[in-house]
Amino acid sequence: MKPTTPAFPKTPPNLFLTGFMGTGKSSLARILAERWKRPLLDTDYLIEQYVRMPVRNFFEKNGEAAFRDLERRCIEEWVPANNTIVACGGGLVIPDGMVELLKSKGITVCLFASVETILRRTAHTTHRPLLQAENPEERIRELLARREKIYMRAGAGILTDGRTFPEIADRIERIYLGELARRAKEAVA
Ligand code: S3P
């Protein structure tokens, strides 16, 4: 079935896709931006343009804390107030106050996947500094354990294992439209 573009308000809220590395944020953001005909941003890409080097090199040169500062700046200053689909780097939502910041600028959905799926999707890639470990599986488990609580409160959660991207996109669309309806109701109450 061909997807239809839902009727959105004139200035629809941003959609932020969050979640661990390899959960499909960038692919789904691309699908939804095309489907809804809305601008697409990727925080890693924005930062790479700003610092003029790949994320991995920036991590090596300046450390993770400097990268997190740029991620905050990216959301605070570079992401427009509405209408945009934003794929967030996997750790963006983790520092204190970032969940709240995202929620204040749009609707947030958090994607989840099993360690096996994450491992499969991120194997053979070298651009993620935090996964350049001797034992990537152990690193993924360790990071997930540390971050899990925050992901759980980072927005409506979707388990992506065993679902196709179009199916997950439908799910995100339903969550987004549901939240829009809830806000509209709240506004007239
Ligand atoms: C990171 C995730 C990456 C990127 C950086 C750090 C993380 O983005 O921002 O390597 O801390 O989880 P993706 O989730 O798009 O891979």
Side-chain angles (χ1 to χ4, degrees), residues 19-22 25-26 42-44 55 59 64 67-68 71 88-92 127-130 143 147 151:
F20 200 75
M21 295 170 266
K25 300 173 303 263
S26 303
D42 183 301
T43 60
D44 284 345
V55 166
F59 258 68
E64 183 172 345
F67 182 73
R68 301 296 170 212
E71 286 189 315
C88 299
L92 179 145
H127 64 280
R128 293 182 174 96
L130 295 180
L143 282 170
R147 294 177 174 185
Y151 287 138

Side-chain angles (χ1 to χ4, degrees), residues 57-157:
N57 297 13
F58 186 83
F59 258 68
E60 272 161 21
K61 234 175 136 190
N62 304 286
E64 183 172 345
F67 182 73
R68 301 296 170 212
D69 286 346
L70 282 178
E71 286 189 315
R72 183 183 298 271
R73 191 152 165 219
C74 184
I75 301 300
E76 278 177 344
E77 298 175 22
W78 304 337
V79 169
N82 48 47
N83 197 40
T84 309
I85 315 278
V86 188
C88 299
L92 179 145
V93 79
I94 302 305
D96 277 355
M98 290 303 284
V99 170
E100 293 70 21
L101 176 63
L102 285 188
K103 288 186 177 177
S104 74
K105 281 196 84 165
I107 295 172
T108 305
V109 170
C110 190
L111 302 178
F112 290 87
S114 65
V115 172
E116 294 66 32
T117 302
I118 291 171
L119 200 54
R120 184 169 36 78
R121 290 196 188 136
T122 56
H124 317 297
T125 61
T126 54
H127 64 280
R128 293 182 174 96
L130 295 180
L131 297 186
Q132 303 313 302
E134 220 165 88
N135 186 337
E137 176 172 349
E138 207 173 280
R139 173 61 59 84
I140 290 169
R141 288 188 192 281
E142 192 183 286
L143 282 170
L144 273 174
R146 247 192 277 153
R147 294 177 174 185
E148 202 172 18
K149 269 200 185 141
I150 299 173
Y151 287 138
M152 297 295 274
R153 61 178 189 87

